[in-house]
Amino acid sequence: MDSELRNTHERSLIALMRSSTSSTSSSSTSSYSSWTPDEDAILPLSSPPARTGSEALPQELDRPKVAENGAIRGMGLGFRLVSFSGHSGLEWKDIERRFDQIASRTGNGPEAVVKWSGFGFCIGMQQSLEFANELLRALRGGRDWKVDITKSDMRRFWFRMKDDSFDSRMRIFFDMCDRNMDGRITEPDIKQTILLSAFTNKLSVTQEEAEDYAAMIMDLLDSKSRGYIEVSQMGSLFKTRPPNSSSLSSSPTTQLPVVTNNGVQNGEFPEEQELMSRGEVLFRTYWRRAWIILLWVIACFVLFYWKFVQYRDRSAFQVMGYCLSTAKGAAETLKLNMALILLPVCRNTITWLRKHPCINSAVPFNDNINFHKLIAGGIVVGVILHGGTHLACDFPRISGADKTLFKQTIAMRFGYHQPNYLEILTTIEVASGIAMVILMVIAFVLATKWPRRRSAKLPLSLRKVTGYNTFWYSHHLFILVYGLLIIHSMFLFLTDKWLEKTTWMYVAFPVLLYIGERIFRAIRSGFYEVDILKANPYPGKVLYLKMQKPEGFEYQSGMYIFLQCPQISSLEWHPFSLTSGPQDDYLSVHIRTLGDWSNQIYAHFQEAVLSRGHSCPTLYIDGPYGAAAQDYVKYDIVVLIGLGIGATPFISILKDILNGVQAPPSDHRGLRERSLGKKPLKAYFYWTTREQSSFDWFRDSMKEISNSNKKKVVEMHNFLTNVYREGDVRSALISIIQALHHSKNGIDVVSNTPIRTHFARPNWFNIFSRLALKHRGARIGVFYCGPSNLARDLKGLCTKFSTKTTTRFVFHKENY
């Protein structure tokens, strides 16, 4: 049975990879397209089809063969050097088209030429012009290389660059390092190339660091202390591919990663497990949302129908017809929704309910904000139906009704005076309703995405009056809205029965609960003034705050708190994930400056840190509050994915997992439902960031986690997207230095932590396929914090791999 299941799993995964080969790169990494310097090419190591005729390679000089260095082989090093072009999939016709775009004729020459400075554009390295110039110098042998380039020159250069011969590519790279083209590379040559590579990849490398790295390479390769190295010695760095080094960065093709049975704990597989259908995966993913939404829709429909039928049988129906029934039916749904909309924002109540496994397993508390928005949409529909039918249909029919019919039906409700349209609008019930609609429109509009985030797509005049603060204060207009709602419900045209004025019955409990929460938060936060133990302003305008942990303050990893700074505003509270672990005796947060409040608090603390004489601003905290990341305790295996500052909730989780590490299980059979007190047995952390300086944010935490990870329970991967991917000539020397330094000192030169940094964007398809092969039959929780565009890609991959393999991936996203 195990053998049959293994074969089924592997066949499914191979078929999935083959079907995705042509689309994986674009679909799974599209969210990062703006994060890379340009689209890089990685050419396969296998030899291309032989070229004939006009495509034959030009005759080249004999090249010395490279030899393997035993020391390097012993260290397990080795790298690919496979790409000299700057764009994926460029062929000669593309180079020719680019050449023609900028070519010009000089004098009476028969051929068009481009200036030497246009070489980078022609080969797709327009964003790495300095590096492209060095490449041109190497291709021209260093002699008179700053001269115009003809098309025949360009063709010769291109096919030499495209030559898949390792010796050919090694020769070009060697010549780029060889400043005086004498066949020998000295330590200063390597230093200059290191500085050029760092500049090209937007990495920070000082002159002293470059000297140290150059000396490290020379010590390794110049075994005879001659003061220089030759091409055979340099080539030994690239000749051998290191073992178990399949790339996690994005690449144009999807290859099946080789994972042996040892990748599965004890090589065991579930005894009986069939592949799930897409329908089953979707049902398991959405059933909790589905039953809540279905219940809500049924409740709205029942209430609408009940009121619709009730008013269809009343005398007023003879005057206003079905317009009256529609308006009253919509009014009843509005009462329900005005009550429900407060419940998803009662954070203390939701946090308390999360602690009960039975309730938490049936109610999707992680979607509280989405449900809040959904109910708001229901209110919009109700207002249009209720207010629209009244204004456009009911009121004109009242004012224009036959006087006899009016007297026989509803005259008593109007004091036996048939009002005109304007008189109806000035009544308390109508005026209060119109005022409610105006206030609601203001609050709703300012809560939409563009005004709330002060989008650049808005006109400058609107951006000045929008933003999070405007959204926050405008939302408090609902205090007036609820007051007007009670007034509106007390003065009804068509009834004076107390039992029919039911609005207060709907909203009483939610309003009292919400008011109670606000009072509780105000009282609690008054006791939670915290002392600042440490404040560090980091590059990228990120502020790290280490605060004293209040007595009795307990929380779980993944939770967040609200911060208030009275020096900025006594009314504003802003949420931030805790990066400290529950076992720590302090609280810590990382604040990324994205708006007015965060910019001001960054400035206040920066001034206090720099001046040293200034005291830190006063801070109050409120919380803790539950979030989606808390659900990590439900899984034996978790995948944590953070983009930029989105890594914050996962730092706390990693600390907590290592603090409560358990012995690995013997197999995957009978994976249990985990209680809140237990921790995952294996965690994978993927952090993607755009700039090298971002590693400063969590450097201390990363070192702490690495030092605690004795049993290798946590596997961490950093991705830096502004560095050209592995195998690109522009990052080749950086990769060499990175591996040498890590092998020698255990520290990554890019992140300055024990965690190796991958270059370019993650290839999520390859990452998920490795996880599916390694953990066959397991249930893996995938937790993501970052932009929504990548969330859609990751969610799709979770569904795809859950249906095509025996591994089930369950996706969770942080919502704020």
Side-chain angles (χ1 to χ4, degrees):
M1 179 62 72
D2 289 350
S3 176
E4 181 181 351
L5 177 61
R6 182 188 300 112
N7 292 337
T8 301
H9 181 98
E10 293 183 347
R11 284 197 302 270
S12 300
L13 190 52
I14 292 171
L16 175 60
M17 289 183 165
R18 287 174 176 171
S19 66
S20 302
T21 297
S22 60
S23 61
T24 301
S25 179
S26 61
S27 63
S28 65
T29 62
S30 60
S31 305
Y32 295 86
S33 58
S34 62
W35 284 32
T36 53
D38 49 41
E39 290 297 326
D40 323 343
I42 291 188
L43 306 181
L45 289 172
S46 57
S47 300
R51 299 183 180 91
T52 59
S54 61
E55 291 191 349
L57 291 173
Q59 184 71 28
E60 298 291 344
L61 298 175
D62 291 338
R63 308 181 184 92
K65 302 296 183 182
V66 298
E68 293 189 22
N69 185 308
I72 297 171
R73 187 169 59 252
M75 295 173 67
L77 301 177
F79 310 88
R80 290 184 301 174
L81 183 61
V82 294
S83 175
F84 283 92
S85 60
H87 274 272
S88 178
L90 278 182
E91 300 296 338
W92 167 245
K93 61 181 180 181
D94 303 307
I95 305 301
E96 189 175 27
R97 176 176 52 81
R98 285 169 169 260
F99 183 94
D100 293 337
Q101 286 179 8
I102 62 173
S104 61
R105 295 185 182 276
T106 58
N108 298 322
E111 280 194 274
V113 298
V114 298
K115 293 184 177 181
W116 65 270
S117 56
F119 177 74
F121 172 80
C122 291
I123 65 171
M125 285 192 184
Q126 62 270 26
Q127 297 187 25
S128 312
L129 292 180
E130 293 82 358
F131 205 95
N133 293 341
E134 287 300 309
L135 177 57
L136 177 62
R137 180 188 61 80
L139 290 169
R140 279 185 156 167
R143 298 182 300 274
D144 300 326
W145 63 276
K146 289 187 177 182
V147 296
D148 293 342
I149 306 172
T150 65
K151 184 175 290 188
S152 58
D153 291 336
M154 181 63 70
R155 184 182 184 86
R156 185 172 67 256
F157 297 154
W158 175 250
F159 282 117
R160 185 178 171 191
M161 291 162 54
K162 292 283 283 187
D163 184 358
D164 277 340
S165 165
F166 179 83
D167 293 339
S168 174
R169 295 191 172 194
M170 190 64 251
R171 179 80 251 183
I172 298 174
F173 183 75
F174 184 88
D175 288 345
M176 289 184 65
C177 299
D178 187 2
R179 313 299 296 182
N180 56 10
M181 303 303 290
D182 61 354
R184 298 175 177 180
I185 297 178
T186 62
E187 189 170 314
D189 290 337
I190 297 177
K191 173 188 173 183
Q192 290 302 315
T193 308
I194 291 172
L195 292 173
L196 175 62
S197 298
F199 175 78
T200 302
N201 289 279
K202 301 178 182 177
L203 296 176
S204 175
V205 175
T206 64
Q207 293 282 342
E208 292 76 13
E209 289 172 334
E211 290 175 0
D212 292 341
Y213 299 153
M216 180 174 60
I217 293 176
M218 290 297 295
D219 289 344
L220 180 68
L221 299 181
D222 186 18
S223 57
K224 297 182 180 179
S225 302
R226 294 181 297 178
Y228 63 87
I229 57 176
E230 296 176 333
V231 66
S232 60
Q233 295 165 294
M234 176 65 82
S236 61
L237 280 176
F238 297 91
K239 188 68 175 177
T240 306
R241 184 80 172 129
N244 302 324
S245 58
S246 55
S247 177
L248 298 180
S249 299
S250 60
S251 59
T253 59
T254 302
Q255 298 176 347
L256 179 66
V258 178
V259 181
T260 65
N261 290 346
N262 293 330
V264 182
Q265 297 176 15
N266 284 353
E268 298 292 338
F269 297 82
E271 292 184 355
E272 293 184 8
Q273 182 153 355
E274 298 179 354
L275 298 180
M276 288 191 294
S277 66
R278 181 176 178 84
E280 184 180 357
V281 171
L282 293 177
F283 174 78
R284 292 193 178 197
T285 302
Y286 296 111
W287 73 268
R288 296 193 303 166
R289 299 178 188 175
W291 83 263
I292 291 289
I293 294 175
L294 182 62
L295 181 63
W296 173 68
V297 170
I298 291 174
C300 289
F301 178 80
V302 168
L303 290 174
F304 181 92
Y305 182 76
W306 171 56
K307 263 321 182 193
F308 185 92
V309 172
Q310 186 180 89
Y311 273 85
R312 191 178 58 184
D313 298 331
R314 296 196 175 185
S315 58
F317 184 81
Q318 301 177 45
V319 177
M320 290 169 276
Y322 284 104
C323 293
L324 174 63
S325 297
T326 302
K328 290 299 182 179
E332 206 67 19
T333 66
L334 276 172
K335 297 175 188 178
L336 174 67
N337 288 329
M338 289 296 289
L340 292 179
I341 199 168
L342 292 175
L343 298 181
V345 291
C346 292
R347 292 185 175 89
N348 284 294
T349 302
I350 291 177
T351 300
W352 177 74
L353 291 173
R354 282 178 181 271
K355 298 177 182 178
H356 298 76
C358 294
I359 300 176
N360 193 25
S361 63
V363 180
F365 292 117
N366 296 335
D367 290 306
N368 63 317
I369 298 301
N370 291 331
F371 190 54
H372 179 76
K373 295 176 182 178
L374 178 65
I375 298 172
I379 291 174
V380 171
V381 173
V383 167
I384 292 173
L385 284 177
H386 178 70
T389 52
H390 270 332
L391 293 172
C393 184
D394 290 334
F395 298 164
R397 288 189 178 186
I398 291 174
S399 61
D402 179 79
K403 294 185 181 300
T404 302
L405 179 62
F406 179 80
K407 290 180 180 180
Q408 294 175 349
T409 53
I410 59 174
M412 184 178 65
R413 303 298 177 192
F414 292 89
Y416 295 98
H417 167 69
Q418 186 172 0
N420 58 38
Y421 192 84
L422 185 59
E423 288 176 330
I424 296 175
L425 294 182
T426 57
T427 59
I428 294 178
E429 47 269 61
V430 177
S432 60
I434 292 175
M436 272 195 296
V437 171
I438 293 173
L439 293 176
M440 291 167 73
V441 167
I442 294 173
F444 278 35
V445 169
L446 293 176
T448 55
K449 183 177 179 179
W450 284 7
R452 181 165 50 91
R453 297 186 177 181
R454 194 175 286 173
S455 172
K457 297 179 181 179
L458 292 173
L460 181 60
S461 57
L462 290 179
R463 290 206 300 272
K464 292 180 179 179
V465 295
T466 56
Y468 183 84
N469 288 347
T470 307
F471 151 74
W472 176 247
Y473 290 123
S474 66
H475 244 52
H476 286 76
L477 292 174
F478 277 92
I479 298 174
L480 298 177
V481 169
Y482 277 95
L484 290 170
L485 178 63
I486 298 299
I487 295 173
H488 181 77
S489 66
M490 292 295 103
F491 297 88
L492 297 179
F493 286 137
L494 304 178
T495 184
D496 55 5
K497 296 180 180 179
W498 179 255
L499 292 177
E500 292 190 8
K501 298 178 180 181
T502 57
T503 301
W504 68 273
M505 300 179 188
Y506 282 93
V507 302
F509 175 74
V511 167
L512 290 176
L513 178 64
Y514 183 75
I515 291 174
E517 284 230 354
R518 294 299 293 263
I519 294 173
F520 174 72
R521 288 178 59 183
I523 295 174
R524 181 177 61 180
S525 62
F527 292 103
Y528 281 170
E529 179 182 351
V530 292
D531 294 329
I532 306 301
L533 304 178
K534 185 179 181 181
N536 274 346
Y538 285 125
K541 299 200 75 175
V542 168
L543 176 65
Y544 167 73
L545 295 178
K546 182 179 180 180
M547 301 166 286
Q548 181 184 14
K549 187 176 182 178
E551 184 177 354
F553 189 93
E554 296 182 358
Y555 64 98
Q556 297 173 1
S557 291
M559 285 184 163
Y560 65 96
I561 59 173
F562 280 86
L563 289 182
Q564 183 214 74
C565 180
Q567 284 91 326
I568 301 175
S569 172
S570 59
L571 299 176
E572 292 185 45
W573 293 85
H574 293 264
F576 299 97
S577 297
L578 287 163
T579 52
S580 52
Q583 71 282 358
D584 293 332
D585 59 357
Y586 61 89
L587 301 177
S588 65
V589 295
H590 288 71
I591 302 173
R592 179 75 183 272
T593 54
L594 296 173
D596 295 338
W597 188 90
S598 55
N599 271 292
Q600 290 181 62
I601 197 170
Y602 181 89
H604 279 300
F605 276 97
Q606 186 180 44
E607 181 181 359
V609 171
L610 294 178
S611 63
R612 296 187 180 182
H614 285 66
S615 60
C616 292
T618 302
L619 284 184
Y620 291 94
I621 66 172
D622 176 45
Y625 294 105
Q630 275 184 263
D631 288 341
Y632 76 96
V633 295
K634 296 180 180 180
Y635 302 92
D636 289 286
I637 303 166
V638 293
V639 176
L640 311 174
I641 301 172
L643 266 65
I645 200 65
T648 49
F650 306 136
I651 300 299
S652 176
I653 290 174
L654 292 174
K655 291 180 180 180
D656 193 37
I657 291 174
L658 291 174
N659 185 63
V661 67
Q662 302 177 22
S666 59
D667 54 47
H668 283 306
R669 283 193 292 266
L671 287 179
R672 62 200 179 281
E673 285 294 324
R674 306 186 64 80
S675 68
L676 292 176
K678 296 182 179 180
K679 306 295 188 297
L681 305 174
K682 183 69 175 179
Y684 298 88
F685 176 57
Y686 300 92
W687 181 33
T688 302
T689 186
R690 187 185 311 180
E691 298 173 351
Q692 183 188 14
S693 59
S694 302
F695 292 121
D696 294 347
W697 305 346
F698 306 113
R699 178 169 294 129
D700 293 339
S701 297
M702 294 293 188
K703 289 180 179 179
E704 177 186 344
I705 293 169
S706 297
N707 293 335
S708 303
N709 192 26
K710 304 299 183 183
K711 294 186 178 181
K712 307 300 180 184
V713 173
V714 174
E715 184 177 307
M716 294 187 287
H717 301 274
N718 293 335
F719 292 85
L720 186 58
T721 60
N722 67 356
V723 177
Y724 294 96
R725 68 170 59 93
E726 178 189 353
D728 192 296
V729 66
R730 289 166 286 189
S731 63
L733 200 53
I734 301 297
S735 296
I736 292 172
I737 295 168
Q738 181 192 38
L740 289 175
H741 194 273
H742 194 278
S743 177
K744 182 178 179 181
N745 303 307
I747 297 295
D748 181 74
V749 296
V750 178
S751 65
N752 197 24
T753 69
I755 306 166
R756 287 282 298 272
T757 301
H758 304 274
F759 297 154
R761 304 165 299 192
N763 187 319
W764 295 113
F765 188 94
N766 279 357
I767 289 171
F768 274 75
S769 66
R770 288 163 60 91
L771 293 170
L773 282 172
K774 188 173 183 179
H775 301 288
R776 296 175 174 89
R779 183 170 173 265
I780 300 177
V782 179
F783 295 84
Y784 170 73
C785 186
S788 298
N789 48 3
L790 179 60
R792 289 188 291 270
D793 294 338
L794 293 174
K795 194 173 185 179
L797 285 172
C798 287
T799 301
K800 180 180 291 187
F801 277 89
S802 294
T803 56
K804 301 298 183 182
T805 72
T806 59
T807 306
R808 187 190 170 204
F809 294 88
V810 185
F811 184 75
H812 301 263
K813 180 184 181 298
E814 287 288 312
N815 294 305
Y816 291 110

